[in-house]
DNA sequence: CGGTGGCTTGAGTGCCATCAATTCCCGTGG
DNA sequence: CCACGGGAATTGATGGCACTCAAGCCACCG
């Protein structure tokens, strides 16, 4: 029925007035750019924010769209991808709880962001947000720190794409996901993998078949256990040695 | 004699008092983070700056060093690389005139920066520079913009590493280099390639042999002409079609 | 003139992509 | 409750692109 991407049915972006009592009580604040803002700054930010949610498989924005808003993820996960003219795709990464979309306040989005499951976000109209940032160096500071972190993630990923074998890529991917879950307080040994195998493949520069084979191999070797919707990490040490740092 | 990297002889980092009359007369200012600063800001920045130069093959800093300074390149080119524990290397990029090293004001450098030829830089002691940045949002703004640009470069490069063939990689590399030279006013059809084949290979996730083969193939097809120290771009259109966007 | 380092070229191999079924999973309807 | 259908994931067979190993070329230099 559907050829690609677009979900069936009528569900699309829905906006609501905030359901959280306030930013001050937000579960996500401490792991996002909002952390360590003063009470005053937080109040100003809150005044600009609008809570929205996104149904699975729906795009929040697309590569090339002009960016008239920026977002903070408060629930769920999104896939960030870019397309080559000939259709080849690369998944730049996955935005998790606490991640900020539009860090650099770009004129146009350079990636497409699609919900992997139900997603909730704080939306900020860009013009107003940029004005607040210009007025509050402290907030700009936080954005810049975050951008620096993204830059090191990007470097790690370039190293992975350029110089690692398929098995190392998959092992590294699982470990980096565990690390990012850890950062937001999710420390279960069972990793949720809300993205599909094709998404992982396009993230790691592999084919879906190779991803599947490597996961199966890791499972056979008892480093992981494949479970519906994710994997259980059985032998973190072994994964780390396979990831080659 | 030397096993790797380290140059012979006694040449090392040398510091000088500024030889340029002032930042205001700096040739490089308009293409770097210093562009569009007010006269006052420029004066403050100048007071912190120290002009240094670096001999070919010498490291400015190494991956893991604590970053007690940041730099602006005013002449020459540096290779930015990271090492995997087992020795595999990835060249994250090449810093050219106008590029800023230490954008994110990190605690430790995440890459090693080595001079590919004679290099001149403006050095800023990090503590003082950070204090200036904290005081001058305008400067932070510029740094952040630049970081955003670096982030898009990183995304382009990830796409290249993950989803492109050897020939596309080499063609894209030449074009992106031309684009970057263009940004700093170097518009000659002859591209200087101060880095070696191994550096290009480690940048593109290929082997030196493959890089060499692809360059000679492009030469045979009359898309480029290999000349000592660089290449002459004969057929930009052809390169663009080979680069597949 | 031999030595050295960078680059190119050639032959063989291996890892991962490609092509092709098959199985698994899960929601749907009989 | 089970048959059915469709998408996702897995598994198998084959092949090609890029890697590996190795030799040769060339410019430069002591």
């Amino acid at each position: 029925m559907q050829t690609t991407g677009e979900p069936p049915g009528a569900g699309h972006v829905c906006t609501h007035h905030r359901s959280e009592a306030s930013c001050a009580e937000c579960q996500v604040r401490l792991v996002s750019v909002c952390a360590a803002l003063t009470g005053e700054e937080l109040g100003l930010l809150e005044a600009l924010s609008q809570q929205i949610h996104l149904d699975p498989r729906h795009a929040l924005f697309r590569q090339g769209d002009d960016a008239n808003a920026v977002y903070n993820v408060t629930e769920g996960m999104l896939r960030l991808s870019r397309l080559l003219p000939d259709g080849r795709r690369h998944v730049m990464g996955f935005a998790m709880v606490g991640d900020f979309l539009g860090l650099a306040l770009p004129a146009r989005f350079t990636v497409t962001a699609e919900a992997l499951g139900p997603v909730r976000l704080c939306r900020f109209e860009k013009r107003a947000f940029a004005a607040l940032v210009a007025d509050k160096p402290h907030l700009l500071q936080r954005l810049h720190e975050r951008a620096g972190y993204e830059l090191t993630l990007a470097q790690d990923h370039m190293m992975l794409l350029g110089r690692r074998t398929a098995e190392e890529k998959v092992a590294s991917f699982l470990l980096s996901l565990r690390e990012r879950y850890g950062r937001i307080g999710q420390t279960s040994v069972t990793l949720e993998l809300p993205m599909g195998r094709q998404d992982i493949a396009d993230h790691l520069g592999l084919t879906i078949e190779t991803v599947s084979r490597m996961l199966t191999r890791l499972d056979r070797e008892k480093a992981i256990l494949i479970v519906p919707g994710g994997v259980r990490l059985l032998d973190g040490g072994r994964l780390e040695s396979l990831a080659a740092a």
Side-chain angles (χ1 to χ4, degrees), chain A residues 104-204:
Chain A
L105 307 178
R108 295 174 169 278
F109 289 114
T110 59
V111 300
T112 296
E114 291 157 302
L116 292 172
V119 166
R120 300 170 73 85
L121 311 100
C122 281
R123 179 185 190 277
F124 305 97
E125 202 273 320
K126 198 183 76 173
R127 196 171 287 274
F129 187 81
L132 181 62
V133 167
D135 195 45
K136 298 292 174 190
H138 201 216
L139 183 54
L140 179 54
Q141 187 80 35
R142 290 284 302 162
L143 285 178
H144 188 58
E145 280 167 23
R146 193 86 186 188
Y149 175 66
E150 297 286 333
L151 222 35
T152 70
L153 286 187
Q155 288 184 353
D156 291 341
H157 201 61
M158 282 190 255
M159 180 121 231
L160 178 146
L161 289 168
R163 284 284 172 248
R164 288 174 129 105
T165 66
E167 185 171 49
E168 290 171 346
K169 285 178 178 181
V170 172
S172 302
F173 172 68
L174 295 177
L175 289 173
S176 75
L177 214 50
R178 178 177 69 170
E179 201 257 325
R180 291 184 67 202
Y181 274 121
R183 267 177 189 266
I184 58 172
Q186 306 260 111
T187 56
S188 162
V189 289
T190 299
L191 276 190
E192 301 289 324
L193 296 178
M195 70 294 288
R197 298 290 191 267
Q198 185 66 61
D199 295 330
I200 299 175
D202 286 345
H203 185 48
L204 301 180

Side-chain angles (χ1 to χ4, degrees), chain A residues 22 34 107 122:
Chain A
S22 74
C34 323
C122 281

Side-chain angles (χ1 to χ4, degrees), chain A residues 9-77:
Chain A
H12 59 286
V13 176
C14 299
T15 65
H16 298 272
H17 291 297
R18 104 174 12 269
S19 68
E20 308 269 354
S22 74
C23 284
E25 297 172 20
C26 176
Q27 302 291 332
V28 173
R29 184 167 63 88
L30 292 179
V31 297
S32 70
V33 291
C34 323
L37 293 185
T38 68
E40 179 216 18
E41 287 165 345
L42 211 55
L44 291 168
L45 197 60
E46 182 170 350
L48 295 183
S49 80
Q50 182 185 23
Q51 196 160 98
I52 69 176
H53 73 80
L54 202 58
D55 289 335
R57 304 180 57 76
H58 279 266
L60 180 61
F61 51 76
R62 294 185 177 281
Q63 173 179 5
D65 286 358
D66 46 297
N68 34 38
V70 296
Y71 305 88
N72 204 4
V73 181
T74 56
E75 200 179 311
M77 194 182 283

Side-chain angles (χ1 to χ4, degrees), chain A residues 83-103:
Chain A
L83 240 41
L84 236 38
D86 63 9
R88 280 175 290 179
R89 188 180 73 154
H90 184 75
V91 171
M92 308 303 310
F94 301 98
M96 315 189 0
V97 169
D99 285 340
F100 195 90
L101 304 173
L103 263 184

